[in-house]
Structure formats: C-alpha cells, structure tokens
Amino acid sequence: MEFQCVAGMLTFLDPPRDDTKETIARSQAYGVPVRMITGDHLLIAKKTCRDLDMGNMDRPGWPMIQGPDHLPMLKADGKEPDNLVSQYGQYIQDADGFAQVYPEHKFLVVETFRQLGYKCGMTGDGVNDAPALKRADVGIAVAGATDAARAAADIVLTQEGLSTIIHGMEISRSIFARMKSFLTYRIAATLQLLFFFFIAVFAFNPTDYADAAKTTTPDYLSWPPFFSLPVIFLMIITLINDGTLISIGYDHASPSKYPERWILPILFMVSGALAVISCLSSLLWVHFCLESWAPHSLFQRMGINGLTYGQIVNTMFLKVAVSDILTLFSARTAQHFFFQRKPHPVLLICCIIALCISTILALTWPPGTLDNVPVHGLGYDGQKMALWTWIYCIIVFIIQDGVKVAMWRIIIHYNFFNVNNIVQDPMKKGNREYTFAENEDGTDAIEVAEVKVTPHHH
C-alpha cells in the first residue's frame, strides 16, 4: 500500500497590473468613478479594492464589496425583475463593488445603473461577461478577450491595460472643447455682423450728422442718407473670420474634469453676450466717428481731427474686423480668462496674419468709391485713427472677456440648465449630486462596470 503525504501548498498570485492604480486614479480625477464586478472570492475583491484605492474611501467600512446574496436574479422567463430599481437600486448604487457574482448578476447590475439614470459601460474578457458587455451603453473587451466577449463589445482593446480608455477620454474631451470654441466664436461673430449692419442701416443717418456740422465738414455733400459698408469689405471680413476659424482645430484644449454634453442654451447665451458687447461697441464707435466734426464731440475733446466719410467707412471696417478676431481669443477659453490658456502657435500666427491684413487694407485702401460708398485709407492724411481704433478694440475685448467670465460664474453658481450635472436621485427625495461614473478593471481576474451619470429631464 502506497502512502502519500502533503509536502506543501502552491499558491498563485494574480495582482493588478502596475499601471492599474494610476489608471483608476486618473479616471476618478476625470469624474469617472470605478466599480468592481468579479466572480472571485469576497476577500480577494476587498484586498484588490484596497490595493487600487477603489470606491468611496471616506466611508466607514470601506471597501463596501457586496456578495451575491442580495443581488437581483432573472425571473423564470429570463426577464429582469419588475422592481429592479425600487428594491435593489440603492443597494447597488452605494456599493464599491460586487464579488462572487454570476453572469446574470453582472447583467442586472449594469441594467440597474442604466435604469437609475446612468450611462453604463462594462469591461470584460470572458464568456460570462458577454451579457453585461452587450447590455452596457459601451461594452469594452480587453486584450485577449474571448470571441464571445469581442462579439458582444462595442470596443475591443488590442493592447494590455486600460490606460487606452483614459487616453481616449482625454482626446474626445479635447475635441469636444474645440468644437465648443468653434461654435461659440462662429455664433458670436455672425451675430455681431448681422445685428451691427442691420441696426446701423436704420439707426444712423450720416446726412443728419453732416448737416449738423456742415460748416466744418469738407465732404458733407457726399455723406449718404444711411450707413453701410461696401460689399467687398464685408466679403473680406467674412473670409478673414473663416481663415482664423479653421485654426481652432489646432488649438490647445484642456480636457474637462467631467464628461461633456451639449447644453445649447448656455452656448447661445455666452455667444450672444460676446456678440452683444462687440456689436454695441461698433455702434458706439460709428456714432463717435459720425459726430467727429461736432465742436463738443468726444474726438474733438481728445484732439482727434474730424473724419471724412471715406475715413469713417475704413475705420469701421477695421473696427469690425479686429473685434471679430479678438473675440476668438475669448471664445476659446470658455469660463476662463483669455490669458489663462495660451493659444497654439498655428492659431496665434493665423490671427496675427488676419489682424495685419485688416490693418494694412484699412490704412492703404486707395481713396475713391465702392458700391457708391466713399472709401479712404487711414494712412494717407497723417491720421492716427487706426491706432485709436486698435486701442478701443483692445479695451472692448477686455470688457468682453470679463463679462463672459462673469456670466459663466453666474451660470455655474445657479446651475442654469443643470450645468453642474446634478441628478435627481430616484431612490431619495431631493437632489443628490453625482459626477459621471465609468468603471474599469485592473486585471483579467477583475471585471469592472463603468457607470456614468447623465442628468434626468423630469
């Protein structure tokens, strides 16, 4: 008879990847908290959670890893329970993770988060992850995943680790920031042009200004009954704007700390504020130019000589063009001041070229008429009107940027259009503030559900 004895125990260690803790920290810094869903033992899950600083570390009893005993199960007909949110919502929502679960648990945990108003993602590699990967808003199959997991997922990673997800998050948010800058500037520039020329045509009668000071206005007989700019000037302004607008695609962009979403009312509010200030400043400058020959006008008190109507037209061409280009520097920084984020060299060079072209054309345009409108370069008679216009535009730009920042602070403080992403908690009365949550895993032994909050619209 042959006897056997135990010589020892062989243990296996499957620790998280070296970069997993950093990946989770970066994810949470971007407003994407992490939840763990694993079929491993409860103790293993808690140890891994502690190693990765996963979950709400400030809560007593952290980490709160729930076992399968109180998780929902599918009904006999394979459908989800009718009382999924009311009975299990708070239990699942408050957990830091789940251990010793089966595929249907993973599926129902993801579904519970979705019914709670979250956008959910799931990462996994095995056949048992396929149902949850399919049900999640974004299913991500990690490198080395089975064919079933790959088929159920929306995204398949080809390299080890999850840092690619964070990198993709940064790129997408930077793209979104550039899109918002593009639209903010495009709307502001368009509104400024449209409203300025529409109002100026009806609000200003150059003939009245000339009649009031005809004893000193040398060309008062050529002043028209309404104000307008030649079509070629409008085309030049539009082309210059479009040229600088293209450079936004190369601009530096900081990814938002929280997931982005379109809030069009706020976009139009901010763009409208930028346009209104620029438009009002242009209308005011037209008035100052037209009354430049009046004895007690602003220009006379400042020692600026009176302007011919051709010089007024060129002055307003320069004012509108410079204001539009400077508006880009305010539109690109959202709720921050224009100097808090330096522009990309491509954008800066494009804007400098556009400003130089506008200034040179305003200074050197030959005297004459365009579309029966007198024009006269500002550099021919020793006038310093181009310099005064530049100074005025810079002052207006500083005011414009300050108003934009103040408006953003008011919007954020009073949470207009739910800009702070405060979500109505279906499990409790009142509002409960959540950041967007997306969950990720660290190793092949741990599957993580991503959870991302989106605002309810009640």
Side-chain angles (χ1 to χ4, degrees):
M1 186 174 181
E2 188 175 337
F3 292 93
Q4 295 181 350
C5 63
V6 177
M9 296 185 64
L10 182 63
T11 60
F12 294 91
L13 182 64
D14 187 14
R17 288 172 51 88
D18 293 337
D19 63 344
T20 300
K21 186 174 182 178
E22 179 187 357
T23 300
I24 291 175
R26 290 172 61 196
S27 174
Q28 294 179 152
Y30 281 122
V32 183
V34 177
R35 298 291 181 269
M36 178 190 302
I37 306 180
T38 178
D40 290 346
H41 194 274
L42 183 65
L43 296 177
I44 297 176
K46 287 187 175 183
K47 175 63 168 59
T48 304
C49 193
R50 292 192 189 96
D51 291 343
L52 300 178
D53 293 339
M54 191 183 302
N56 186 1
M57 299 174 62
D58 299 328
R59 179 169 49 195
W62 172 82
M64 188 180 293
I65 305 296
Q66 307 292 6
D69 296 340
H70 302 290
L71 291 178
M73 299 288 289
L74 294 173
K75 295 192 295 186
D77 58 0
K79 296 182 179 180
E80 62 198 43
D82 297 329
N83 57 350
L84 193 59
V85 171
S86 60
Q87 185 171 346
Y88 302 100
Q90 195 66 58
Y91 179 78
I92 291 175
Q93 187 171 259
D94 290 342
D96 294 323
F98 310 90
Q100 298 176 230
V101 297
Y102 293 100
E104 63 180 302
H105 292 135
K106 299 179 182 181
F107 174 86
L108 291 173
V109 166
V110 170
E111 178 60 22
T112 302
F113 276 119
R114 294 181 77 251
Q115 292 189 18
L116 284 169
Y118 293 73
K119 293 294 183 181
C120 304
M122 175 76 185
T123 63
D125 62 352
V127 175
N128 59 343
D129 299 316
L133 290 171
K134 187 68 175 178
R135 188 55 177 164
D137 294 285
V138 180
I140 303 174
V142 300
T146 62
D147 292 340
R150 290 170 178 265
D154 301 294
I155 300 173
V156 178
L157 304 183
T158 58
Q159 295 182 350
E160 296 289 338
L162 298 172
S163 58
T164 304
I165 299 175
I166 309 301
H167 185 56
M169 196 185 304
E170 293 171 341
I171 292 176
S172 63
R173 294 186 189 184
S174 297
I175 293 172
F176 196 94
R178 294 189 184 99
M179 292 171 63
K180 287 200 301 184
S181 299
F182 178 96
L183 291 176
T184 301
Y185 174 66
R186 179 76 280 170
I187 295 170
T190 301
L191 291 178
Q192 195 241 143
L193 286 173
L194 288 177
F195 282 102
F196 167 68
F197 291 115
F198 178 79
I199 296 173
V201 166
F202 293 99
F204 297 105
N205 187 339
T207 303
D208 293 341
Y209 287 90
D211 291 340
K214 61 184 177 182
T215 55
T216 54
T217 306
D219 63 336
Y220 72 92
L221 294 177
S222 65
W223 288 39
F226 59 89
F227 177 83
S228 64
L229 288 183
V231 175
I232 186 65
F233 280 4
L234 299 180
M235 292 178 60
I236 292 173
I237 292 173
T238 302
L239 289 174
I240 289 175
N241 286 349
D242 289 343
T244 54
L245 191 63
I246 294 173
S247 64
I248 289 181
Y250 299 92
D251 192 22
H252 295 303
S254 300
S256 170
K257 292 300 180 182
Y258 301 101
E260 297 271 19
R261 61 190 176 91
W262 287 112
I263 311 178
L264 294 182
I266 292 180
L267 185 68
F268 279 101
M269 286 172 60
V270 175
S271 301
L274 295 174
V276 166
I277 295 173
S278 185
C279 178
L280 290 178
S281 67
S282 297
L283 294 172
L284 189 62
W285 201 237
V286 171
H287 171 71
F288 289 149
C289 290
L290 290 174
E291 69 163 11
S292 61
W293 293 98
H296 302 292
S297 67
L298 176 65
F299 283 10
Q300 293 294 332
R301 292 197 298 269
M302 294 177 60
I304 303 175
N305 296 329
L307 303 175
T308 65
Y309 191 78
Q311 290 173 330
I312 293 174
V313 171
N314 280 49
T315 297
M316 291 315 303
F317 162 73
L318 179 62
K319 162 63 179 72
V320 174
V322 172
S323 287
D324 269 7
I325 297 169
L326 292 181
T327 299
L328 174 60
F329 289 96
S330 182
R332 60 178 289 273
T333 54
Q335 66 266 35
H336 304 291
F337 288 105
F338 72 94
F339 53 81
Q340 289 183 287
R341 194 175 76 222
K342 69 176 184 179
H344 191 277
V346 172
L347 183 143
L348 187 60
I349 291 172
C350 287
C351 289
I352 291 174
I353 292 174
L355 290 170
C356 289
I357 291 174
S358 302
T359 304
I360 291 172
L361 290 177
L363 287 170
T364 61
W365 199 279
T369 59
L370 292 172
D371 301 328
N372 297 321
V373 178
V375 292
H376 193 288
L378 301 177
Y380 289 111
D381 300 327
Q383 274 279 5
K384 296 182 180 179
M385 200 58 211
L387 175 61
W388 286 112
T389 301
W390 259 95
I391 294 174
Y392 180 72
C393 289
I394 292 173
I395 294 173
V396 170
F397 167 67
I398 294 174
I399 296 173
Q400 184 184 44
D401 196 58
V403 170
K404 177 208 68 175
V405 173
M407 173 171 284
W408 265 111
R409 290 181 179 177
I410 293 173
I411 289 172
I412 293 172
H413 179 75
Y414 291 101
N415 193 35
F416 289 151
F417 303 102
N418 198 25
V419 68
N420 297 323
N421 299 320
I422 295 179
V423 179
Q424 182 71 30
D425 187 351
M427 304 305 301
K428 296 181 179 180
K429 293 183 179 180
N431 286 332
R432 183 174 177 181
E433 184 172 353
Y434 297 97
T435 55
F436 290 63
E438 290 179 336
N439 308 326
E440 308 165 57
D441 83 21
T443 67
D444 291 342
I446 302 174
E447 299 85 29
V448 177
E450 293 185 28
V451 185
K452 185 164 87 170
V453 177
T454 53
H456 289 302
H457 301 283
H458 297 288

